[in-house]
Amino acid sequence: MRIIPWQDTPQAIAILASCAIEPPAKLRHTKQFYLTSDEWLAYDESDERVTKLSVIQNEHFLAAERLGGREAARIAVGLSVDEAIDIAVAVNAGRGIAA
């Protein structure tokens, strides 16, 4: 049995190619704490492509876990949806994955 990362599935590859050409919007999020705050950017989950990638990732995780346990699930979900989109966009822009 060979477990492949979710982003290497045919459905994810097609959606990531679309995101590479026309990236989804990134939204700024802020969480306030007593003495500090946390701020981050994340792709807009109202974009259907981001939602579909999240579903693919979750389904792939569950299938891999059923087949091979927790270690297989970790292999299957090595990247977050945001990381996969970032890489696709960077590669499309000619910056490689280190961008």
Side-chain angles (χ1 to χ4, degrees):
M1 169 185 64
R2 182 169 173 262
I3 303 293
I4 64 167
W6 72 270
Q7 69 274 7
D8 292 342
T9 63
Q11 304 99 325
I13 289 171
I15 297 168
L16 288 167
S18 168
C19 291
I21 295 165
E22 187 179 335
K26 275 194 170 183
L27 301 178
R28 183 172 306 281
H29 301 273
T30 305
K31 182 163 184 163
Q32 292 293 125
F33 300 98
Y34 180 66
L35 295 175
T36 188
S37 65
D38 193 10
E39 187 173 282
W40 68 96
L41 294 174
Y43 288 102
D44 185 358
E45 292 182 0
S46 69
D47 186 308
E48 186 177 300
R49 298 169 299 168
V50 176
T51 303
K52 284 181 181 179
L53 288 171
S54 292
V55 169
I56 292 167
Q57 182 193 46
N58 289 334
E59 289 174 350
H60 202 67
F61 173 86
L62 294 173
E65 187 176 44
R66 279 192 304 274
L67 289 173
R70 281 293 199 187
E71 186 58 32
R74 278 192 283 277
I75 292 167
V77 185
L79 293 177
S80 71
V81 170
D82 282 15
E83 290 169 329
I85 295 171
D86 284 344
I87 291 169
V89 170
V91 168
N92 187 57
R95 296 189 308 252
I97 62 172

